[in-house]
Amino acid sequence: MPAKGATAITTHQPPASEVLVVGGGIIGLAVAWRARQRGHTVTLVERDELAGGASRVAAGMLAPVSEAEFGGEGRELLALGLDSRQRWPQFARELAAAGGLDPGLRCGGTLMVARDGDEAEALERELAFRQRLGFAVRRLRPSQARELEPGLAPHVRLALELPDDLSVDPRRVTAALRAALARAGVTVYEGCPVQRLLVRSGAVAGVALAAGRELRAQRVVVAAGAWSGAIAGLPAEATLPVRPVKGQILRLRDPAGPGLLERVLRFEGGYLVPRGDGRYVLGATMEERGFDATVTAGAVTELLRDASELVPGISELELAEASAGLRPGTPDNLPLIGAGALPGLVWATGHHRNGVLLAPLTADLVAATLSDAPAGRLEASCAPDRFGGASVSAAPAEAVVGATAGVSP
Ligand code: GLY
């Protein structure tokens, strides 16, 4: 049965959409919104409830500067992250107007902190790296860090202040996107697993739902998060390597209200994100456990131990929620955005740890792909054909290719 609020599956054949988005997480929702704004007729299909997967668990750091990593792929990801962060304020304003809900964008910046000598040495290297790249970053002695954030423990050894990072509340963002889609006339099917993509005459032509119906479309955008690699119906050479990377995360609440921490705090193995109203998100594990999304006592213990070592007041907070999400990982940790190996196929997936940050950029890049705009510099690092499948020879007319396992958008 479709979830509450979903469009009912009726017995008549709905008209083909220009664009069908598989997956109702933050990426699928943002893509559907932008595509509709560009004038396309849009349908979105979600197997469960909208934004009920990784988007619901995500902390919402928009932090390309503090998350910058050494190496070539790190540099590519940084370019994508900086570009998308720049788009966020406008995206948030437009979304607030279109969806009637404030997405909770915050500008407090990040503190990166070291607990001991080894971490302090590593932090000095991180400082030099960011200075070479020309980022705003300030080295803080422990006393200076505690002036900014009095909740920090006295034994913090060193801190960096990165004022340009932002954060957002992903649950508010997806609620606003959902409202914006409803207002814009996007057809949404919730609680409707996709069984397979339909391929007709060598081109993707829609989806077959597990419930037995087919939805036709000129283009299908696969935004199915960690399940994108398992989508059925494509020839093997057109599929892409996306795997689930589990993250466990806690939500904490200070009954006394805000004030324990103003800035996002990053430390070896974790982060603490204040929402500005007494709520905090503490994450996250990185685990390769397939599609297992159980919350474990060990992970909860470790997250709380590490964070309360740095911010002792954490121990007094209410534990409001413990959850686990599955990030869509790729072999090079870069996303997969753009045209796929078959006509009609578009990918918007593989965002790994950066789905929330990269949502505005992804939506714009997909909108450009849907308009057949020429690819630019940023598209090159996300091009799905870097893992093969640049073009697949046409299948026999009217053949449905591979109709096996179901997919979970
Ligand atoms: N973006 C942070 C995480 O995936 O844990």
Side-chain angles (χ1 to χ4, degrees):
M1 284 289 286
K4 193 167 168 275
T7 297
I9 300 277
T10 54
T11 47
H12 74 274
Q13 179 68 47
S17 317
E18 286 166 358
V19 178
L20 186 146
V21 179
V22 180
I26 192 166
I27 297 293
L29 291 166
V31 163
W33 182 46
R34 282 294 194 231
R36 183 72 196 111
Q37 284 179 319
R38 301 290 187 274
H40 300 289
T41 55
V42 182
T43 297
L44 183 146
V45 186
E46 161 60 41
R47 66 152 183 171
D48 205 338
E49 57 180 305
L50 291 181
S55 312
R56 183 170 171 73
V57 176
M61 286 174 292
L62 310 177
V65 178
S66 60
E67 291 185 349
E69 286 181 10
F70 304 107
E73 282 154 5
R75 226 174 282 268
E76 304 270 7
L77 190 56
L78 177 62
L80 295 171
L82 289 172
D83 183 286
S84 200
R85 186 203 55 188
Q86 204 162 310
R87 292 173 197 247
W88 253 104
Q90 174 66 16
F91 183 84
R93 276 192 297 275
E94 266 185 71
L95 186 54
L101 289 165
D102 171 10
L105 187 70
R106 298 189 79 232
C107 305
T110 303
L111 274 195
M112 297 172 77
V113 293
R115 285 168 285 208
D116 57 29
D118 287 348
E119 287 185 12
E121 260 181 47
L123 209 51
E124 298 282 12
R125 287 193 292 276
E126 298 284 352
L127 170 66
F129 175 55
R130 284 162 184 75
Q131 285 173 330
R132 278 200 302 279
L133 292 169
F135 292 135
V137 50
R138 188 159 70 108
R139 186 183 187 282
L140 301 176
R141 292 191 307 276
S143 59
Q144 294 172 307
R146 295 189 70 217
E147 265 166 44
L148 288 185
E149 292 291 356
L152 283 174
H155 57 258
V156 163
R157 288 286 288 266
L158 179 66
L160 306 182
E161 187 195 13
L162 306 128
D164 293 338
D165 284 345
L166 311 172
S167 68
V168 78
D169 183 340
R171 293 183 182 182
R172 290 167 72 163
V173 175
T174 53
L177 281 167
R178 181 186 184 127
L181 294 196
R183 289 179 178 189
V186 171
T187 304
V188 174
Y189 293 92
E190 239 178 318
C192 292
V194 165
Q195 190 205 27
R196 66 182 192 279
L197 298 191
L198 298 173
V199 179
R200 299 278 188 262
S201 306
V204 169
V207 298
L209 300 177
R213 301 287 314 288
E214 292 186 352
L215 300 175
R216 301 304 178 104
Q218 292 167 18
R219 314 270 194 120
V220 174
V221 182
V222 179
W227 288 268
S228 303
I231 198 150
L234 292 173
E237 61 272 30
T239 62
L240 290 176
V242 181
R243 68 181 198 288
V245 181
K246 178 178 174 180
Q248 300 192 54
I249 204 160
L250 306 179
R251 284 178 157 74
L252 307 163
R253 197 182 80 86
D254 192 340
L260 180 62
L261 192 71
E262 287 300 318
R263 292 162 185 77
V264 172
L265 197 67
R266 293 190 69 93
F267 47 94
E268 182 66 36
Y271 48 79
L272 189 57
V273 182
R275 289 276 182 255
D277 59 359
R279 292 177 301 135
Y280 299 86
V281 182
L282 169 59
T285 63
M286 289 280 286
E287 303 169 67
E288 301 274 354
R289 293 185 189 278
F291 286 93
D292 163 57
T294 49
V295 175
T296 63
V300 174
T301 309
E302 262 181 49
L303 287 168
L304 286 173
R305 188 198 56 213
D306 287 357
S308 55
E309 246 175 58
L310 281 166
V311 183
I314 286 288
S315 315
E316 304 301 321
L317 305 188
E318 287 174 13
L319 177 54
E321 186 183 320
S323 48
L326 301 172
R327 308 172 181 94
T330 62
D332 57 8
N333 293 333
L334 290 165
L336 297 155
I337 307 168
L342 298 182
L345 175 62
V346 180
W347 297 96
T349 188
H351 293 78
H352 197 222
R353 306 192 70 165
N354 295 290
V356 179
L357 170 63
L358 297 180
L361 172 64
T362 302
D364 289 343
L365 293 182
V366 171
T369 302
L370 294 171
S371 309
D372 299 316
R377 184 183 60 83
L378 289 174
E379 281 94 332
S381 53
C382 330
D385 66 6
R386 71 187 186 276
F387 294 116
S391 73
V392 174
S393 56
E398 295 307 308
V400 174
V401 181
T404 50
V407 68
S408 310

